[in-house]
Amino acid sequence: MIKNLVIVESPAKAKTIEGYLGKDFVVKSSFGHVRDLPKDNNAIDVAHGFKPTYVVSSDKREVVAQLRKLAKEADIVWLASDDDREGEAISWHLTEALNLNVEKTRRIVFREITKSAILNAISTPRGIDMDLVNAQQARRILDRLVGFELSPVLWKKIKTGLSAGRVQSVAVRLVVEREREIERHKAEASFRITASFDVQGKTLEAELPAKFKTEAEAQAFLQACVGADYTIENLEKKPLKRSPAPPFTTSTLQQEASRKLYFSVAQTMTVAQRLYEAGKISYMRTDSLNLSQEAIQGATNEINRSFGEQFVKVRHFKTKSAGAQEAHEAIRPTDFSQMVASSDRNEQRLYELIWKRAIASQMADAQIEKTTVTIGISTQPSQKLQATGEVIKFEGFLKVYIESKDDEDEDSANDDVKGMLPPLNVGQGINLRQMLATQRFTRPAARYTEASLVKKLEEMGIGRPSTYAPTISTVQKRGYVEKDNRDGKERKYQVLTLKDDTINTQTKTEITGAEKAKLFPTDTAMVVNDFLVEHFPNVIDYSFTARVEAEFDEIAQGLKEWEFMLDQFYQKFHQRIESSESINRADVSGARELGTDPATGKTILAKLGRYGPYVQLGEENEETGEKPVYASLRKGQFIESLALEDALELFKLPRIVGSLEDKDMTAAIGRFGPYIRHNSKFYSLPKTLDPLQVTAEEAVALIEAKRKADAEKLIKSFDENPDIQVLNGRYGPYIVAGKKNVKIPKGKEPSELTLEECIALADATPEKKGRGGFKKKADAETPAKKKPAAKAKTATAKKKAPAKKAAPKATAAKAAPKKKA
């Protein structure tokens, strides 16, 4: 007989909690959600108040059966899923799926996995909060309706396999609009004047506050400075203070981990999840800046011990976000005295970042003295040079932590602590070493990184802490956005130098526009975005999407009925879906006529196809049997901005670069980028090699290097069964048996394995299942599963709107109301 059964979402969380509770408690994991909407059109009964039908996921049936058995034996069942809407929904679904008795079921919540937090939760249980559950249900149902009804429209009007989503499509719109803003940007030149002075053997750097628009103006200024004397006219000292940033929320953690640790948004959340489940940090999905009194005390004690009492300043930060969900805490360590949280490098690095940020938030301001120097020019009394320097009088929080800035924060340099100035006095004459007039250019807005896109979504009130990472991952998985590095372009600029009363002019070069780990839209994104903006403005409207998020918040607070909110949205949305039948597919294809091929006189078109954007030369002629010629666009090229000259270059591919072993080596661009084809095999070209310029020698070297790598990969093969091989992999030797990868047991020498041993090991290895397994059941299908069309232009969508069929059970009305257990 089990006295107490505690159910959590993850095995790691279960293991940590089990260590805090006595022998009277058994802790088990549900491995996330146990029920969801079925992947078909019968999930939501629109006609009867949007009643959802839930089914137990196929991969959770065994888990549910085991938990149901344990729950029947237990005196009390404690539902300990996360303290947010998603966690509340998991607890409610467990209550329904396990048929739990309300009288012997308790809901407990905690924001950190420590012994005191767990025991406190056990002593203060409550019932299921149906307002939180309904907010989660409303989001899930609304997103399902949008996805299931809008995606088939995209299949019909643009191409098969596309998807649309309420938050995802808005995120894509941001990336598309930023790219177009960058494309429209015209760089404007100006000349920046800087001067370097010798002050008793030390260097003083100064700058003219104004910039000159033309080279002639800059030249005239330098000419006027020939033979000038320079004098310190004024020294202005001003005290400054810098205050620390608040402790992390989900979005600010994602942003700072991206800047400082180069983590992706998804990686940040994965690592943070592990730290939370190990009991090292508080809950990582939060939009609150609040710290508990206990946490503040822990932080101030550590500051006192490590730095001294003068470094302590207790602060209470107010959450600015209007949509902040519940009065939760910011992300912080559970024990401020603990400096080492994990032997895993990434976990430790993220923990240190969280520790420093939380500690710094309770530290004193940094006290800084800023000195502004005004330098007079004898030949130009109206023009003044300026120099600034700063001295840190008291480090305060800077002893621990300095917040990083994004590329788009153009004024970030103003927040950095400047260096010290040499000793100076008013009236002091200083000697000019040199003066430069350097040509500079205005920059376009920065492309989004994953983290800066999260920041933008949060600022606009779109999405919540639990949705940021999934949104960023989804837009990339669906092929709308690519995270990529791009090489910059060479640009010339002018530098005028005044030295020893002589002016020299130099033309220099720089690389501009280089990008690292930035988000780029695909052609598909641009076509889909334009279609949605024109025909479904509400779905993709920024303010509308933010209002929907606010309505979810109202449902969570019990201020709005979720069925009413859904009905308001769905009526207008569904009318748009029905009216979309009249939209002409040809009008939304994104195809452009670029011009005429000078050599053949044939028309050149740019189009979006099943495998991406391409250019087409000529049309198919059934009478002559003539077929058009196709070429894929290169990375960074867009249908809407492609020039005829660019298209003509693309048609130079495929090109024969030479021969090897009496067989041609052909350079081309395919679905996965540029490659060399030789003897029916494909060899990807690295970024350093251009398919239009790659030489025969470079192609041979590439092929031979790949052959060598493949030879070293093969440990053993069997002539009698070529489907079985022993290979060297990234994580060590393994067996390939058909489509199955098989581990080699420790102690077995890979090169000595026999065919019989390989077969036996393969037979003992179960088939790898995907999410939900491979069984073709109604509750295991994916919504986009359909027969692929033979050609994109004839693709049709067979999905219909959600059927108006009554759901048998699992509606919010059935659940027990919120109450104290």
Side-chain angles (χ1 to χ4, degrees):
M1 188 71 179
I2 300 172
K3 286 189 177 180
N4 297 280
L5 173 65
V6 180
I7 304 176
V8 296
E9 309 98 311
S10 76
K13 188 175 173 182
K15 186 178 179 182
T16 305
I17 292 174
E18 203 163 35
Y20 297 139
L21 298 173
K23 60 182 180 179
D24 290 339
F25 288 82
V26 172
V27 186
K28 293 293 179 182
S29 169
S30 69
F31 297 88
H33 275 280
V34 294
R35 296 196 317 173
D36 198 3
L37 299 170
K39 306 292 172 43
D40 58 31
N41 286 334
N42 299 318
I44 302 160
D45 186 354
V46 174
H48 295 87
F50 300 92
K51 290 182 181 177
T53 297
Y54 292 108
V55 294
V56 174
S57 311
S58 59
D59 59 336
K60 296 294 176 66
R61 287 171 188 156
E62 191 176 334
V63 172
V64 168
Q66 291 172 353
L67 291 175
R68 188 179 287 140
K69 183 174 180 294
L70 292 170
K72 284 182 179 177
E73 297 173 6
D75 291 340
I76 298 177
V77 177
W78 305 83
L79 301 174
S81 50
D82 290 339
D83 184 17
D84 58 13
R85 296 173 193 173
E86 210 66 36
E88 204 70 22
I90 288 173
S91 284
W92 176 66
H93 282 298
L94 282 167
T95 303
E96 297 286 308
L98 305 183
N99 295 319
L100 296 180
N101 183 341
V102 175
E103 297 301 320
K104 68 169 196 172
T105 303
R106 309 283 187 271
R107 171 76 171 119
I108 56 172
V109 293
F110 38 85
R111 300 296 294 179
E112 60 183 60
I113 304 177
T114 59
K115 187 170 184 177
S116 60
I118 301 302
L119 294 179
N120 182 61
I122 292 284
S123 66
T124 56
R126 61 170 173 80
I128 301 289
D129 186 336
M130 285 311 301
D131 291 332
L132 294 180
V133 174
N134 287 337
Q136 190 273 347
Q137 281 198 116
R139 177 188 293 278
R140 184 76 184 90
I141 291 169
L142 183 60
D143 289 348
R144 167 61 70 88
L145 289 171
V146 171
F148 257 60
E149 295 204 9
L150 191 49
S151 295
V153 175
L154 299 181
W155 303 345
K156 287 180 181 178
K157 305 303 177 183
I158 302 174
K159 72 170 187 174
T160 55
L162 296 176
S163 69
R166 188 180 51 83
V167 177
Q168 135 195 345
S169 296
V170 172
V172 170
R173 182 181 182 183
L174 284 169
V175 177
V176 167
E177 291 186 347
R178 178 59 57 88
E179 190 67 29
R180 286 173 171 161
E181 183 183 349
I182 293 168
E183 284 291 320
R184 288 193 303 268
H185 177 76
K186 303 295 181 187
E188 294 181 4
S190 62
F191 284 80
R192 174 179 176 237
I193 306 295
T194 57
S196 178
F197 295 95
D198 187 341
V199 183
Q200 298 174 358
K202 294 184 178 180
T203 300
L204 174 66
E205 301 288 349
E207 182 176 345
L208 191 73
K211 292 180 181 178
F212 297 110
K213 288 187 177 182
T214 66
E215 184 177 346
E217 290 174 332
Q219 176 86 26
F221 176 81
L222 293 186
Q223 192 64 50
C225 291
V226 172
D229 294 324
Y230 301 90
T231 310
I232 304 296
E233 290 190 350
N234 188 39
L235 289 171
E236 183 185 355
K237 293 187 178 182
K238 187 167 66 173
L240 296 176
K241 72 172 184 178
R242 299 267 166 82
S243 299
F248 284 128
T249 62
T250 301
S251 69
T252 54
L253 176 63
Q254 290 167 347
Q255 291 161 46
E256 196 73 338
S258 173
R259 299 179 195 121
K260 280 189 159 69
L261 308 180
Y262 305 104
F263 284 6
S264 69
V265 167
Q267 183 183 10
T268 299
M269 295 312 292
T270 299
V271 175
Q273 178 92 29
R274 292 203 297 264
L275 287 170
Y276 167 67
E277 290 175 346
K280 303 301 181 184
I281 63 170
S282 58
Y283 192 50
M284 66 285 157
R285 292 188 186 91
T286 177
D287 44 17
S288 172
L289 300 175
N290 181 49
L291 289 179
S292 67
Q293 199 55 48
E294 183 184 351
I296 291 173
Q297 189 62 53
T300 54
N301 288 345
E302 184 58 28
I303 296 165
N304 233 325
R305 187 183 68 79
S306 299
F307 308 111
E309 189 177 348
Q310 70 272 28
F311 281 86
V312 175
K313 182 175 180 180
V314 173
R315 300 171 190 270
H316 299 279
F317 294 93
K318 186 170 178 61
T319 303
K320 293 179 183 177
S321 171
Q325 287 184 17
E326 295 86 14
H328 295 151
E329 276 196 82
I331 304 168
R332 59 165 177 82
T334 54
D335 182 355
F336 282 95
S337 67
Q338 191 173 358
M339 290 295 295
V340 178
S342 174
S343 58
D344 179 89
R345 180 172 176 267
N346 284 342
E347 288 180 21
Q348 181 60 26
R349 290 169 73 206
L350 191 65
Y351 177 79
E352 285 177 5
L353 193 64
I354 293 167
W355 186 93
K356 287 177 180 178
R357 177 87 164 216
I359 279 282
S361 75
Q362 300 304 311
M363 292 180 73
D365 294 330
Q367 303 297 331
I368 297 164
E369 182 181 78
K370 181 179 179 180
T371 302
T372 302
V373 183
T374 304
I375 302 168
I377 307 168
S378 63
T379 57
Q380 300 192 78
S382 62
Q383 298 282 16
K384 310 291 181 186
L385 293 164
Q386 280 192 351
T388 58
E390 293 178 349
V391 177
I392 297 176
K393 295 293 188 180
F394 176 64
E395 282 183 293
F397 76 95
L398 293 178
K399 200 170 186 71
V400 174
Y401 183 82
I402 301 174
E403 186 179 21
S404 298
K405 302 290 181 184
D406 286 318
D407 292 349
E408 54 261 44
D409 295 330
E410 293 182 0
D411 298 327
S412 61
N414 298 331
D415 297 330
D416 297 335
V417 177
K418 309 290 191 300
M420 289 182 63
L421 297 172
L424 299 167
N425 297 303
V426 174
Q428 178 181 350
I430 53 178
N431 298 320
L432 177 70
R433 285 180 180 167
Q434 67 175 16
M435 187 179 290
L436 301 177
T438 307
Q439 188 178 26
R440 297 286 81 192
F441 299 88
T442 55
R443 294 184 301 171
R447 286 185 175 88
Y448 289 110
T449 62
E450 288 189 349
S452 64
L453 182 56
V454 166
K455 180 181 179 182
K456 184 67 175 177
L457 289 169
E458 183 184 41
E459 286 173 354
M460 299 176 80
I462 297 167
R464 289 296 179 261
S466 61
T467 66
Y468 297 139
T471 298
I472 301 299
S473 298
T474 297
V475 297
Q476 292 178 68
K477 286 176 185 173
R478 301 279 165 83
Y480 289 125
V481 173
E482 295 174 342
K483 183 167 74 171
D484 202 5
N485 302 332
R486 298 279 169 93
D487 297 330
K489 295 179 181 178
E490 197 173 82
R491 178 172 65 189
K492 292 180 180 179
Y493 67 100
Q494 304 299 314
V495 180
L496 284 64
T497 305
L498 169 61
K499 189 172 184 180
D500 299 329
D501 288 341
T502 303
I503 300 172
N504 293 313
T505 302
Q506 283 180 292
T507 299
K508 296 188 176 183
T509 59
E510 63 184 352
I511 300 298
T512 180
E515 301 281 23
K516 186 175 181 182
K518 294 294 181 69
L519 300 180
F520 295 83
T522 62
D523 269 297
T524 303
M526 290 181 162
V527 174
V528 170
N529 176 73
D530 292 347
F531 175 78
L532 293 177
V533 168
E534 182 178 355
H535 299 287
F536 294 90
N538 269 11
V539 173
I540 208 164
D541 179 71
Y542 297 133
S543 58
F544 175 79
T545 308
R547 283 201 304 275
V548 169
E549 293 291 349
E551 288 186 277
F552 289 147
D553 295 338
E554 291 175 20
I555 294 167
Q557 295 161 22
L559 302 176
K560 179 169 276 193
E561 293 295 326
W562 66 279
E563 298 95 339
F564 175 72
M565 176 261 176
L566 288 175
D567 187 60
Q568 279 187 312
F569 170 86
Y570 184 75
Q571 296 308 322
K572 293 179 182 177
F573 171 71
H574 189 64
Q575 286 174 12
R576 288 269 184 180
I577 293 289
E578 290 179 330
S579 64
S580 68
E581 289 294 328
S582 61
I583 300 169
N584 186 352
R585 177 172 181 155
D587 295 337
V588 294
S589 65
R592 280 181 65 224
E593 184 175 318
L594 303 180
T596 304
D597 177 25
T600 64
K602 294 178 180 177
T603 301
I604 296 178
L605 300 169
K607 293 182 174 182
L608 181 64
R610 186 175 180 185
Y611 300 115
Y614 66 94
V615 284
Q616 175 182 318
L617 173 61
E619 298 284 353
E620 188 168 349
N621 190 322
E622 293 182 1
E623 292 180 7
T624 62
E626 189 177 5
K627 293 187 179 294
V629 178
Y630 303 100
S632 297
L633 266 62
R634 303 189 67 173
K635 188 171 282 189
Q637 292 181 324
F638 295 108
I639 291 173
E640 65 181 41
S641 58
L642 191 73
L644 176 62
E645 294 73 22
D646 299 324
L648 292 172
E649 284 292 305
L650 293 171
F651 285 120
K652 291 179 181 178
L653 297 173
R655 60 180 273 265
I656 296 172
V657 298
S659 64
L660 174 65
E661 299 160 354
D662 297 327
K663 295 199 172 160
D664 289 340
M665 297 182 293
T666 304
I669 299 176
R671 185 182 178 189
F672 303 108
Y675 64 88
I676 296 289
R677 185 177 71 246
H678 174 260
N679 196 19
S680 300
K681 291 187 178 178
F682 297 85
Y683 304 86
S684 294
L685 280 173
K687 288 184 177 180
T688 52
L689 295 179
D690 189 317
L692 288 167
Q693 298 172 358
V694 64
T695 65
E697 292 76 17
E698 289 169 331
V700 169
L702 183 73
I703 292 168
E704 288 179 346
K706 181 69 166 61
R707 286 176 176 177
K708 183 181 177 185
D710 288 345
E712 291 172 351
K713 184 178 180 181
L714 180 65
I715 297 174
K716 194 170 188 178
S717 61
F718 305 94
D719 293 336
E720 57 269 45
N721 192 339
D723 286 342
I724 293 183
Q725 294 178 314
V726 184
L727 302 178
N728 244 325
R730 185 179 175 188
Y731 303 108
Y734 67 101
I735 299 164
V736 172
K739 294 183 179 179
K740 187 187 289 187
N741 292 343
V742 181
K743 285 185 179 179
I744 297 174
K746 286 183 180 178
K748 286 276 187 185
E749 176 56 46
S751 60
E752 296 176 2
L753 285 167
T754 65
L755 177 60
E756 289 72 22
E757 287 176 314
C758 290
I759 292 172
L761 288 169
D763 289 342
T765 302
E767 291 287 346
K768 188 175 181 181
K769 291 185 177 182
R771 189 176 292 180
F774 293 128
K775 294 179 181 178
K776 293 184 177 178
K777 294 192 176 180
D779 55 342
E781 292 174 359
T782 55
K785 201 80 174 173
K786 65 192 283 297
K787 271 188 182 174
K791 291 183 180 177
K793 63 174 136 184
T794 59
T796 56
K798 296 181 181 178
K799 293 284 183 185
K800 297 178 182 177
K804 298 183 177 182
K805 176 180 169 183
K809 58 174 184 176
T811 65
K814 181 180 173 180
K818 182 165 87 174
K819 63 178 183 178
K820 293 282 183 186

